[in-house]
Amino acid sequence: MDGKTQLGDFLQARRSQLRPQDIGVPTYGEQRRVPGLRREELALLAGVSTSYYTRLEQGQSPGASPEVLDAIAGALRLDDSERRYLHDLARAGRRRTRSRRPAPERVPEETRQFLDVLGDVPAIVLGRRNDVLAWNRMGHALFAGHLDFGAPDLPAARRPNMARLVFFDPHVRDLYADWPDKARAVVGNLRLVAAQYPEDAVLHALLGELSAKSAEFASMWADHRVRACAVAPYEMRHPLVGPLTVVQQTMSSGRGPLTVVATTEAGSPSRTALALLAQATGEGAGPGGPASGQTEAGTRRTAGTGGADAVAGAPVLRWAGEPE
C-alpha cells in the first residue's frame, strides 16, 4: 500500500463528504461545482496554509507532524478510529515499507480455554485479515453452521475468512437482515488494519481479490469509510431458529487475534432463539456434538482444497489462494 497516495485519497474523500453547512462555513448561496469543502476552507479550519494542505492531499508532504494531523482531523470532524487511521497512513507514507509475508497467526491456548468456558455464548476468533482461527460450538452454529466445524484448523490457504464469507457466501449474506451495514463494517475494519500493517503482502492480496471479484466491495472500499468493529448490534435471520438480534462485541488483548462474542438481551425472544440453537446443535448432534468435528449430512459443506462442496444447489464457494 502506498501510504502517500492513501493519505491523499482519504483526505480528499472525507473533505468531499463534509458539507459546508454542517460546520458553519458560509456559502452565500453560490453554486458549487463539487460537493463538500474546498481545500482553502479546510486549510483555514485546520490552521494551515492552502498550499501546504494541497501538497498533503497530493502526497508531496509526507512529513506532517502529529499536531498538524490532529488539527486536520479536527477540521474534518474525524472520530477516534478515523483519527488513528489518519496517523497510521501518515506513518506509512514517511517510511519505505517492503511487502513481506508475515508469520502464520495462531490461537493462544488461553484463548481456546476462554472459548470453552463461554459455553452457550457464541464466539469466534479472527485473525487480523478476518481469517477464522477458531470458534466454539455456538459460534460455529450461529455464524457458519453450513461449514465443517474443523474448518478453522485447516491450513491457512483453506480455512474460512469472514470477509470472503460476507461478500461471497450466500448463506452468510442471508444471515444479516441489513447486509449492506454488515458489509460496510467489514470494509471499514479492513481499512484500519491495512493502514496498521502496510507491509502485509497477504492482507493486500486479499484486498485486491475482494475488489476484483466484488463490485460492492470495490464501491465500499472507494468510499474511504473507516469503522472499528468494537460493539455493534445486528439483526440476523438464522435458518434454524429464525430472526434474532445479537450484539457482536470484539475483544482484544493487544495486537493478536480478536475474539468476537455475540450476546442477546436477557428475557428477549433473541435469547430464547439462542437457547433453541444451543439445543439443536448440542448433545443431540451426536457424540461430543459438533465440537467433535462430526457434521450432519446435508446440512453443512466442508471447506476442502480449493473450495467447498455445494449444498442444496448453492454455488460452490472457493477459497481462492486464501491469502490470510
Side-chain angles (χ1 to χ4, degrees), residues 233-276:
Y234 291 104
E235 182 182 343
M236 305 182 76
R237 300 173 299 197
H238 197 277
L240 291 182
V241 297
L244 71 161
T245 299
V246 303
V247 177
Q248 295 183 18
Q249 304 184 50
T250 303
M251 298 176 290
S252 172
S253 58
R255 293 172 71 88
L258 305 173
T259 301
V260 181
V261 299
T263 60
T264 54
E265 184 180 356
S268 67
S270 297
R271 178 69 61 88
T272 301
L274 269 191
L276 292 173

Side-chain angles (χ1 to χ4, degrees), residues 1 3 10 19 34 57 59 89 101 116 139 167 174 210 248 308 310 319:
M1 179 179 72
F10 177 66
R19 299 181 303 174
V34 294
E57 272 198 9
L89 289 179
R101 192 175 189 88
D116 289 340
F167 280 92
D174 289 344
L210 291 168
Q248 295 183 18
W319 309 113

Side-chain angles (χ1 to χ4, degrees), residues 18 85 98 100 109 117 121 123 180 183 212 251 256 259 265:
L18 194 60
Y85 178 71
R98 181 175 300 175
R100 60 183 179 85
E109 179 58 31
V117 301
V121 177
M251 298 176 290
T259 301
E265 184 180 356

Side-chain angles (χ1 to χ4, degrees), residues 2-307:
D2 187 333
K4 296 178 184 179
T5 302
Q6 290 289 327
L7 175 62
D9 289 347
F10 177 66
L11 290 174
Q12 186 173 5
R14 295 315 306 269
R15 178 171 59 83
S16 69
Q17 294 161 2
L18 194 60
R19 299 181 303 174
Q21 57 267 35
D22 292 337
I23 56 176
V25 173
T27 61
Y28 305 106
E30 63 179 326
Q31 293 293 324
R32 295 192 164 216
R33 292 179 299 170
V34 294
L37 292 180
R38 294 169 175 159
R39 284 174 175 167
E40 57 267 26
E41 293 169 338
L42 194 284
L44 180 63
L45 289 171
V48 299
S49 69
T50 301
S51 60
Y52 178 83
Y53 178 77
T54 299
R55 292 196 302 273
L56 196 61
E57 272 198 9
Q58 294 174 345
Q60 299 173 1
S61 295
S65 69
E67 293 76 16
V68 168
L69 294 174
D70 281 336
I72 293 173
L76 288 172
R77 305 297 194 265
L78 302 186
D79 61 24
D80 290 342
S81 296
E82 294 165 332
R83 187 181 296 260
R84 289 195 299 272
Y85 178 71
L86 178 65
H87 282 272
D88 285 338
L89 289 179
R91 279 192 291 271
R94 285 194 292 266
R95 64 178 186 266
R96 296 176 62 87
T97 58
R98 181 175 300 175
S99 295
R100 60 183 179 85
R101 192 175 189 88
E105 294 182 288
R106 305 188 186 281
V107 181
E109 179 58 31
E110 295 81 4
T111 301
R112 294 190 182 277
Q113 295 174 10
F114 180 57
L115 292 182
D116 289 340
V117 301
L118 285 175
D120 287 342
V121 177
I124 61 175
V125 179
L126 299 179
R128 68 176 181 236
R129 306 175 207 99
N130 273 241
D131 276 341
V132 179
L133 304 180
W135 46 29
N136 64 3
R137 175 177 59 84
M138 283 294 291
H140 168 249
L142 179 63
F143 294 109
H146 63 303
L147 299 181
D148 185 77
F149 182 83
D153 296 325
L154 293 170
R158 294 163 52 195
R159 67 165 64 106
N161 175 277
M162 284 307 297
R164 286 195 184 92
L165 291 174
V166 166
F167 280 92
F168 301 145
D169 187 290
H171 174 93
V172 176
R173 190 181 183 111
D174 289 344
L175 273 179
Y176 292 91
D178 188 352
W179 178 85
D181 182 58
K182 177 61 179 178
R184 284 190 293 268
V186 170
V187 175
N189 185 67
L190 282 173
R191 269 208 169 276
L192 285 173
V193 177
Q196 290 176 332
Y197 300 95
E199 76 290 348
D200 190 332
V202 179
L203 171 61
H204 295 291
L206 169 67
L207 298 175
E209 177 196 341
L210 291 168
S211 296
K213 293 182 178 181
S214 171
E216 292 163 311
F217 180 92
S219 176
M220 293 178 186
W221 185 260
D223 196 41
H224 288 269
R225 295 287 183 179
V226 179
R227 184 166 168 182
C229 297
V231 179
Y234 291 104
E235 182 182 343
M236 305 182 76
R237 300 173 299 197
H238 197 277
L240 291 182
V241 297
L244 71 161
T245 299
V246 303
V247 177
Q248 295 183 18
Q249 304 184 50
T250 303
M251 298 176 290
S252 172
S253 58
R255 293 172 71 88
L258 305 173
T259 301
V260 181
V261 299
T263 60
T264 54
E265 184 180 356
S268 67
S270 297
R271 178 69 61 88
T272 301
L274 269 191
L276 292 173
L277 184 61
Q279 293 177 4
T281 59
E283 283 72 14
S292 67
Q294 299 179 1
T295 58
E296 298 179 31
T299 61
R300 300 174 190 153
R301 55 188 181 186
T302 302
T305 303

